[in-house]
PDB file of all heavy atoms in Angstrom:
ATOM      1  N   THR A1471     -29.464 -13.668 -47.910  1.00  0.00           N
ATOM      2  CA  THR A1471     -28.261 -14.227 -47.242  1.00  0.00           C
ATOM      3  C   THR A1471     -28.018 -13.496 -45.942  1.00  0.00           C
ATOM      4  O   THR A1471     -28.443 -12.328 -45.747  1.00  0.00           O
ATOM      5  CB  THR A1471     -27.054 -14.115 -48.135  1.00  0.00           C
ATOM      6  OG1 THR A1471     -26.858 -12.736 -48.548  1.00  0.00           O
ATOM      7  CG2 THR A1471     -27.198 -14.917 -49.377  1.00  0.00           C
ATOM      8  N   PRO A1472     -27.269 -14.102 -45.067  1.00  0.00           N
ATOM      9  CA  PRO A1472     -26.915 -13.493 -43.785  1.00  0.00           C
ATOM     10  C   PRO A1472     -26.006 -12.224 -44.015  1.00  0.00           C
ATOM     11  O   PRO A1472     -25.401 -12.084 -45.070  1.00  0.00           O
ATOM     12  CB  PRO A1472     -26.123 -14.559 -43.011  1.00  0.00           C
ATOM     13  CG  PRO A1472     -26.436 -15.806 -43.700  1.00  0.00           C
ATOM     14  CD  PRO A1472     -26.728 -15.508 -45.131  1.00  0.00           C
ATOM     15  N   PRO A1473     -25.909 -11.340 -43.044  1.00  0.00           N
ATOM     16  CA  PRO A1473     -25.187 -10.079 -43.207  1.00  0.00           C
ATOM     17  C   PRO A1473     -23.717 -10.326 -43.537  1.00  0.00           C
ATOM     18  O   PRO A1473     -23.085  -9.494 -44.240  1.00  0.00           O
ATOM     19  CB  PRO A1473     -25.355  -9.390 -41.833  1.00  0.00           C
ATOM     20  CG  PRO A1473     -26.587  -9.954 -41.273  1.00  0.00           C
ATOM     21  CD  PRO A1473     -26.605 -11.389 -41.741  1.00  0.00           C
ATOM     22  N   ASN A1474     -23.108 -11.409 -43.065  1.00  0.00           N
ATOM     23  CA  ASN A1474     -21.712 -11.673 -43.276  1.00  0.00           C
ATOM     24  C   ASN A1474     -21.408 -12.493 -44.506  1.00  0.00           C
ATOM     25  O   ASN A1474     -20.303 -12.973 -44.710  1.00  0.00           O
ATOM     26  CB  ASN A1474     -21.087 -12.341 -42.036  1.00  0.00           C
ATOM     27  CG  ASN A1474     -21.715 -13.698 -41.821  1.00  0.00           C
ATOM     28  OD1 ASN A1474     -22.723 -14.045 -42.394  1.00  0.00           O
ATOM     29  ND2 ASN A1474     -21.098 -14.514 -40.966  1.00  0.00           N
ATOM     30  N   GLN A1475     -22.386 -12.703 -45.406  1.00  0.00           N
ATOM     31  CA  GLN A1475     -22.201 -13.554 -46.581  1.00  0.00           C
ATOM     32  C   GLN A1475     -22.959 -12.976 -47.767  1.00  0.00           C
ATOM     33  O   GLN A1475     -24.175 -13.041 -47.827  1.00  0.00           O
ATOM     34  CB  GLN A1475     -22.681 -14.968 -46.235  1.00  0.00           C
ATOM     35  CG  GLN A1475     -22.144 -16.016 -47.207  1.00  0.00           C
ATOM     36  CD  GLN A1475     -22.455 -17.435 -46.697  1.00  0.00           C
ATOM     37  OE1 GLN A1475     -23.369 -17.620 -45.883  1.00  0.00           O
ATOM     38  NE2 GLN A1475     -21.796 -18.406 -47.230  1.00  0.00           N
ATOM     39  N   PHE A1476     -22.255 -12.384 -48.700  1.00  0.00           N
ATOM     40  CA  PHE A1476     -22.923 -11.766 -49.838  1.00  0.00           C
ATOM     41  C   PHE A1476     -23.665 -12.808 -50.680  1.00  0.00           C
ATOM     42  O   PHE A1476     -24.806 -12.576 -51.077  1.00  0.00           O
ATOM     43  CB  PHE A1476     -21.899 -11.057 -50.742  1.00  0.00           C
ATOM     44  CG  PHE A1476     -22.531 -10.342 -51.922  1.00  0.00           C
ATOM     45  CD1 PHE A1476     -23.201  -9.148 -51.723  1.00  0.00           C
ATOM     46  CD2 PHE A1476     -22.503 -10.930 -53.173  1.00  0.00           C
ATOM     47  CE1 PHE A1476     -23.790  -8.521 -52.831  1.00  0.00           C
ATOM     48  CE2 PHE A1476     -23.101 -10.306 -54.238  1.00  0.00           C
ATOM     49  CZ  PHE A1476     -23.767  -9.098 -54.045  1.00  0.00           C
ATOM     50  N   SER A1477     -23.044 -13.941 -50.911  1.00  0.00           N
ATOM     51  CA  SER A1477     -23.657 -15.027 -51.636  1.00  0.00           C
ATOM     52  C   SER A1477     -23.259 -16.386 -51.001  1.00  0.00           C
ATOM     53  O   SER A1477     -22.262 -16.414 -50.268  1.00  0.00           O
ATOM     54  CB  SER A1477     -23.314 -14.978 -53.109  1.00  0.00           C
ATOM     55  OG  SER A1477     -21.909 -15.151 -53.317  1.00  0.00           O
ATOM     56  N   ARG A1478     -24.000 -17.410 -51.305  1.00  0.00           N
ATOM     57  CA  ARG A1478     -23.682 -18.729 -50.766  1.00  0.00           C
ATOM     58  C   ARG A1478     -23.271 -19.682 -51.917  1.00  0.00           C
ATOM     59  O   ARG A1478     -23.542 -19.394 -53.051  1.00  0.00           O
ATOM     60  CB  ARG A1478     -24.908 -19.254 -50.012  1.00  0.00           C
ATOM     61  CG  ARG A1478     -25.275 -18.397 -48.785  1.00  0.00           C
ATOM     62  CD  ARG A1478     -26.525 -18.838 -48.127  1.00  0.00           C
ATOM     63  NE  ARG A1478     -26.409 -20.128 -47.472  1.00  0.00           N
ATOM     64  CZ  ARG A1478     -27.419 -20.810 -46.917  1.00  0.00           C
ATOM     65  NH1 ARG A1478     -28.636 -20.259 -46.907  1.00  0.00           N
ATOM     66  NH2 ARG A1478     -27.232 -21.968 -46.363  1.00  0.00           N
ATOM     67  N   PRO A1479     -22.616 -20.732 -51.545  1.00  0.00           N
ATOM     68  CA  PRO A1479     -22.168 -21.717 -52.602  1.00  0.00           C
ATOM     69  C   PRO A1479     -23.362 -22.268 -53.399  1.00  0.00           C
ATOM     70  O   PRO A1479     -24.494 -22.166 -52.962  1.00  0.00           O
ATOM     71  CB  PRO A1479     -21.523 -22.868 -51.791  1.00  0.00           C
ATOM     72  CG  PRO A1479     -21.104 -22.225 -50.499  1.00  0.00           C
ATOM     73  CD  PRO A1479     -22.162 -21.206 -50.208  1.00  0.00           C
ATOM     74  N   PRO A1480     -23.096 -22.826 -54.602  1.00  0.00           N
ATOM     75  CA  PRO A1480     -24.188 -23.322 -55.420  1.00  0.00           C
ATOM     76  C   PRO A1480     -25.098 -24.326 -54.718  1.00  0.00           C
ATOM     77  O   PRO A1480     -26.337 -24.275 -54.901  1.00  0.00           O
ATOM     78  CB  PRO A1480     -23.491 -23.995 -56.580  1.00  0.00           C
ATOM     79  CG  PRO A1480     -22.161 -23.218 -56.684  1.00  0.00           C
ATOM     80  CD  PRO A1480     -21.815 -22.925 -55.266  1.00  0.00           C
ATOM     81  N   LEU A1481     -24.520 -25.166 -53.880  1.00  0.00           N
ATOM     82  CA  LEU A1481     -25.313 -26.194 -53.114  1.00  0.00           C
ATOM     83  C   LEU A1481     -25.149 -25.822 -51.662  1.00  0.00           C
ATOM     84  O   LEU A1481     -24.156 -26.235 -51.041  1.00  0.00           O
ATOM     85  CB  LEU A1481     -24.860 -27.604 -53.416  1.00  0.00           C
ATOM     86  CG  LEU A1481     -24.862 -28.016 -54.893  1.00  0.00           C
ATOM     87  CD1 LEU A1481     -24.355 -29.445 -55.062  1.00  0.00           C
ATOM     88  CD2 LEU A1481     -26.245 -27.911 -55.523  1.00  0.00           C
ATOM     89  N   ALA A1482     -26.102 -25.082 -51.063  1.00  0.00           N
ATOM     90  CA  ALA A1482     -25.868 -24.603 -49.715  1.00  0.00           C
ATOM     91  C   ALA A1482     -27.063 -24.539 -48.796  1.00  0.00           C
ATOM     92  O   ALA A1482     -26.917 -24.458 -47.588  1.00  0.00           O
ATOM     93  CB  ALA A1482     -25.278 -23.128 -49.821  1.00  0.00           C
ATOM     94  N   SER A1483     -28.305 -24.558 -49.379  1.00  0.00           N
ATOM     95  CA  SER A1483     -29.468 -24.349 -48.553  1.00  0.00           C
ATOM     96  C   SER A1483     -30.055 -25.667 -48.053  1.00  0.00           C
ATOM     97  O   SER A1483     -29.610 -26.752 -48.435  1.00  0.00           O
ATOM     98  CB  SER A1483     -30.501 -23.576 -49.310  1.00  0.00           C
ATOM     99  OG  SER A1483     -31.166 -24.436 -50.231  1.00  0.00           O
ATOM    100  N   ASP A1484     -31.107 -25.581 -47.267  1.00  0.00           N
ATOM    101  CA  ASP A1484     -31.828 -26.766 -46.850  1.00  0.00           C
ATOM    102  C   ASP A1484     -32.935 -27.131 -47.825  1.00  0.00           C
ATOM    103  O   ASP A1484     -33.794 -27.976 -47.498  1.00  0.00           O
ATOM    104  CB  ASP A1484     -32.400 -26.613 -45.409  1.00  0.00           C
ATOM    105  CG  ASP A1484     -31.330 -26.580 -44.354  1.00  0.00           C
ATOM    106  OD1 ASP A1484     -30.295 -27.308 -44.561  1.00  0.00           O
ATOM    107  OD2 ASP A1484     -31.498 -25.964 -43.304  1.00  0.00           O
ATOM    108  N   GLY A1485     -33.003 -26.465 -48.922  1.00  0.00           N
ATOM    109  CA  GLY A1485     -33.982 -26.704 -49.950  1.00  0.00           C
ATOM    110  C   GLY A1485     -34.532 -25.448 -50.609  1.00  0.00           C
ATOM    111  O   GLY A1485     -35.173 -25.481 -51.637  1.00  0.00           O
ATOM    112  N   CYS A1486     -34.242 -24.326 -49.974  1.00  0.00           N
ATOM    113  CA  CYS A1486     -34.705 -23.048 -50.490  1.00  0.00           C
ATOM    114  C   CYS A1486     -33.866 -22.599 -51.682  1.00  0.00           C
ATOM    115  O   CYS A1486     -32.773 -23.113 -51.934  1.00  0.00           O
ATOM    116  CB  CYS A1486     -34.696 -21.956 -49.419  1.00  0.00           C
ATOM    117  SG  CYS A1486     -35.880 -22.273 -48.089  1.00  0.00           S
ATOM    118  N   VAL A1487     -34.337 -21.569 -52.377  1.00  0.00           N
ATOM    119  CA  VAL A1487     -33.609 -20.850 -53.421  1.00  0.00           C
ATOM    120  C   VAL A1487     -33.080 -19.572 -52.776  1.00  0.00           C
ATOM    121  O   VAL A1487     -33.849 -18.741 -52.337  1.00  0.00           O
ATOM    122  CB  VAL A1487     -34.443 -20.560 -54.681  1.00  0.00           C
ATOM    123  CG1 VAL A1487     -33.728 -19.735 -55.700  1.00  0.00           C
ATOM    124  CG2 VAL A1487     -34.991 -21.870 -55.276  1.00  0.00           C
ATOM    125  N   VAL A1488     -31.760 -19.418 -52.754  1.00  0.00           N
ATOM    126  CA  VAL A1488     -31.132 -18.307 -52.077  1.00  0.00           C
ATOM    127  C   VAL A1488     -30.457 -17.339 -53.027  1.00  0.00           C
ATOM    128  O   VAL A1488     -29.719 -17.776 -53.922  1.00  0.00           O
ATOM    129  CB  VAL A1488     -30.115 -18.818 -51.015  1.00  0.00           C
ATOM    130  CG1 VAL A1488     -29.530 -17.668 -50.220  1.00  0.00           C
ATOM    131  CG2 VAL A1488     -30.790 -19.834 -50.091  1.00  0.00           C
ATOM    132  N   LEU A1489     -30.699 -16.069 -52.841  1.00  0.00           N
ATOM    133  CA  LEU A1489     -30.151 -15.022 -53.693  1.00  0.00           C
ATOM    134  C   LEU A1489     -29.368 -14.038 -52.793  1.00  0.00           C
ATOM    135  O   LEU A1489     -29.653 -13.905 -51.599  1.00  0.00           O
ATOM    136  CB  LEU A1489     -31.264 -14.223 -54.385  1.00  0.00           C
ATOM    137  CG  LEU A1489     -32.159 -14.960 -55.370  1.00  0.00           C
ATOM    138  CD1 LEU A1489     -33.425 -15.357 -54.687  1.00  0.00           C
ATOM    139  CD2 LEU A1489     -32.457 -14.114 -56.581  1.00  0.00           C
ATOM    140  N   ALA A1490     -28.418 -13.287 -53.416  1.00  0.00           N
ATOM    141  CA  ALA A1490     -27.818 -12.164 -52.741  1.00  0.00           C
ATOM    142  C   ALA A1490     -28.940 -11.182 -52.356  1.00  0.00           C
ATOM    143  O   ALA A1490     -29.910 -10.999 -53.109  1.00  0.00           O
ATOM    144  CB  ALA A1490     -26.809 -11.455 -53.651  1.00  0.00           C
ATOM    145  N   ASN A1491     -28.781 -10.467 -51.274  1.00  0.00           N
ATOM    146  CA  ASN A1491     -29.846  -9.611 -50.777  1.00  0.00           C
ATOM    147  C   ASN A1491     -30.263  -8.497 -51.782  1.00  0.00           C
ATOM    148  O   ASN A1491     -31.461  -8.249 -51.960  1.00  0.00           O
ATOM    149  CB  ASN A1491     -29.427  -8.943 -49.474  1.00  0.00           C
ATOM    150  CG  ASN A1491     -29.415  -9.946 -48.345  1.00  0.00           C
ATOM    151  OD1 ASN A1491     -30.263 -10.811 -48.256  1.00  0.00           O
ATOM    152  ND2 ASN A1491     -28.424  -9.880 -47.425  1.00  0.00           N
ATOM    153  N   PRO A1492     -29.343  -7.808 -52.481  1.00  0.00           N
ATOM    154  CA  PRO A1492     -29.786  -6.800 -53.454  1.00  0.00           C
ATOM    155  C   PRO A1492     -30.659  -7.417 -54.538  1.00  0.00           C
ATOM    156  O   PRO A1492     -31.610  -6.812 -55.016  1.00  0.00           O
ATOM    157  CB  PRO A1492     -28.498  -6.231 -54.010  1.00  0.00           C
ATOM    158  CG  PRO A1492     -27.477  -6.516 -52.998  1.00  0.00           C
ATOM    159  CD  PRO A1492     -27.843  -7.837 -52.389  1.00  0.00           C
ATOM    160  N   ASP A1493     -30.320  -8.665 -54.966  1.00  0.00           N
ATOM    161  CA  ASP A1493     -31.132  -9.306 -56.011  1.00  0.00           C
ATOM    162  C   ASP A1493     -32.508  -9.712 -55.497  1.00  0.00           C
ATOM    163  O   ASP A1493     -33.483  -9.570 -56.199  1.00  0.00           O
ATOM    164  CB  ASP A1493     -30.363 -10.578 -56.529  1.00  0.00           C
ATOM    165  CG  ASP A1493     -28.981 -10.219 -57.024  1.00  0.00           C
ATOM    166  OD1 ASP A1493     -28.708  -9.062 -57.303  1.00  0.00           O
ATOM    167  OD2 ASP A1493     -28.115 -11.178 -57.099  1.00  0.00           O
ATOM    168  N   LEU A1494     -32.525 -10.246 -54.296  1.00  0.00           N
ATOM    169  CA  LEU A1494     -33.819 -10.618 -53.670  1.00  0.00           C
ATOM    170  C   LEU A1494     -34.709  -9.341 -53.486  1.00  0.00           C
ATOM    171  O   LEU A1494     -35.895  -9.354 -53.784  1.00  0.00           O
ATOM    172  CB  LEU A1494     -33.635 -11.267 -52.335  1.00  0.00           C
ATOM    173  CG  LEU A1494     -34.930 -11.630 -51.633  1.00  0.00           C
ATOM    174  CD1 LEU A1494     -35.614 -12.810 -52.340  1.00  0.00           C
ATOM    175  CD2 LEU A1494     -34.704 -11.986 -50.164  1.00  0.00           C
ATOM    176  N   GLU A1495     -34.113  -8.251 -53.052  1.00  0.00           N
ATOM    177  CA  GLU A1495     -34.855  -7.009 -52.864  1.00  0.00           C
ATOM    178  C   GLU A1495     -35.502  -6.562 -54.135  1.00  0.00           C
ATOM    179  O   GLU A1495     -36.656  -6.084 -54.142  1.00  0.00           O
ATOM    180  CB  GLU A1495     -33.926  -5.924 -52.326  1.00  0.00           C
ATOM    181  CG  GLU A1495     -33.568  -6.205 -50.816  1.00  0.00           C
ATOM    182  CD  GLU A1495     -32.305  -5.385 -50.407  1.00  0.00           C
ATOM    183  OE1 GLU A1495     -31.861  -4.481 -51.185  1.00  0.00           O
ATOM    184  OE2 GLU A1495     -31.783  -5.696 -49.326  1.00  0.00           O
ATOM    185  N   ARG A1496     -34.792  -6.693 -55.271  1.00  0.00           N
ATOM    186  CA  ARG A1496     -35.389  -6.336 -56.548  1.00  0.00           C
ATOM    187  C   ARG A1496     -36.596  -7.215 -56.834  1.00  0.00           C
ATOM    188  O   ARG A1496     -37.617  -6.723 -57.298  1.00  0.00           O
ATOM    189  CB  ARG A1496     -34.315  -6.485 -57.660  1.00  0.00           C
ATOM    190  CG  ARG A1496     -34.856  -6.619 -59.099  1.00  0.00           C
ATOM    191  CD  ARG A1496     -35.368  -5.291 -59.680  1.00  0.00           C
ATOM    192  NE  ARG A1496     -35.921  -5.448 -60.998  1.00  0.00           N
ATOM    193  CZ  ARG A1496     -35.236  -5.500 -62.125  1.00  0.00           C
ATOM    194  NH1 ARG A1496     -33.903  -5.442 -62.107  1.00  0.00           N
ATOM    195  NH2 ARG A1496     -35.824  -5.592 -63.290  1.00  0.00           N
ATOM    196  N   ILE A1497     -36.482  -8.497 -56.623  1.00  0.00           N
ATOM    197  CA  ILE A1497     -37.576  -9.412 -56.875  1.00  0.00           C
ATOM    198  C   ILE A1497     -38.776  -9.094 -55.954  1.00  0.00           C
ATOM    199  O   ILE A1497     -39.921  -9.073 -56.399  1.00  0.00           O
ATOM    200  CB  ILE A1497     -37.114 -10.897 -56.734  1.00  0.00           C
ATOM    201  CG1 ILE A1497     -36.113 -11.194 -57.848  1.00  0.00           C
ATOM    202  CG2 ILE A1497     -38.323 -11.853 -56.729  1.00  0.00           C
ATOM    203  CD1 ILE A1497     -35.471 -12.540 -57.705  1.00  0.00           C
ATOM    204  N   ILE A1498     -38.498  -8.885 -54.686  1.00  0.00           N
ATOM    205  CA  ILE A1498     -39.572  -8.528 -53.721  1.00  0.00           C
ATOM    206  C   ILE A1498     -40.301  -7.276 -54.163  1.00  0.00           C
ATOM    207  O   ILE A1498     -41.544  -7.173 -54.080  1.00  0.00           O
ATOM    208  CB  ILE A1498     -38.989  -8.381 -52.305  1.00  0.00           C
ATOM    209  CG1 ILE A1498     -38.605  -9.742 -51.749  1.00  0.00           C
ATOM    210  CG2 ILE A1498     -40.021  -7.715 -51.358  1.00  0.00           C
ATOM    211  CD1 ILE A1498     -37.929  -9.639 -50.422  1.00  0.00           C
ATOM    212  N   ARG A1499     -39.531  -6.292 -54.661  1.00  0.00           N
ATOM    213  CA  ARG A1499     -40.186  -5.031 -55.104  1.00  0.00           C
ATOM    214  C   ARG A1499     -41.000  -5.224 -56.375  1.00  0.00           C
ATOM    215  O   ARG A1499     -41.917  -4.439 -56.696  1.00  0.00           O
ATOM    216  CB  ARG A1499     -39.154  -3.965 -55.359  1.00  0.00           C
ATOM    217  CG  ARG A1499     -38.423  -3.425 -54.182  1.00  0.00           C
ATOM    218  CD  ARG A1499     -37.657  -2.156 -54.498  1.00  0.00           C
ATOM    219  NE  ARG A1499     -36.744  -2.339 -55.658  1.00  0.00           N
ATOM    220  CZ  ARG A1499     -35.461  -2.708 -55.545  1.00  0.00           C
ATOM    221  NH1 ARG A1499     -34.980  -2.960 -54.312  1.00  0.00           N
ATOM    222  NH2 ARG A1499     -34.685  -2.816 -56.609  1.00  0.00           N
ATOM    223  N   THR A1500     -40.663  -6.293 -57.116  1.00  0.00           N
ATOM    224  CA  THR A1500     -41.210  -6.430 -58.455  1.00  0.00           C
ATOM    225  C   THR A1500     -42.405  -7.347 -58.560  1.00  0.00           C
ATOM    226  O   THR A1500     -43.445  -7.042 -59.163  1.00  0.00           O
ATOM    227  CB  THR A1500     -40.098  -6.945 -59.401  1.00  0.00           C
ATOM    228  OG1 THR A1500     -38.990  -6.029 -59.429  1.00  0.00           O
ATOM    229  CG2 THR A1500     -40.631  -7.090 -60.856  1.00  0.00           C
ATOM    230  N   VAL A1501     -42.325  -8.532 -57.953  1.00  0.00           N
ATOM    231  CA  VAL A1501     -43.321  -9.582 -58.244  1.00  0.00           C
ATOM    232  C   VAL A1501     -44.538  -9.429 -57.315  1.00  0.00           C
ATOM    233  O   VAL A1501     -44.502  -8.733 -56.347  1.00  0.00           O
ATOM    234  CB  VAL A1501     -42.693 -10.989 -58.059  1.00  0.00           C
ATOM    235  CG1 VAL A1501     -41.523 -11.149 -59.012  1.00  0.00           C
ATOM    236  CG2 VAL A1501     -42.326 -11.274 -56.628  1.00  0.00           C
TER     237      VAL A1501
END
């Protein structure tokens, strides 16, 4: 997510799956 938005609404992207940055970082470090 952008720096000014911790999370986005349930229906918000142009088709991507969007996570809060700390959650995404965990996934990037893991998979």
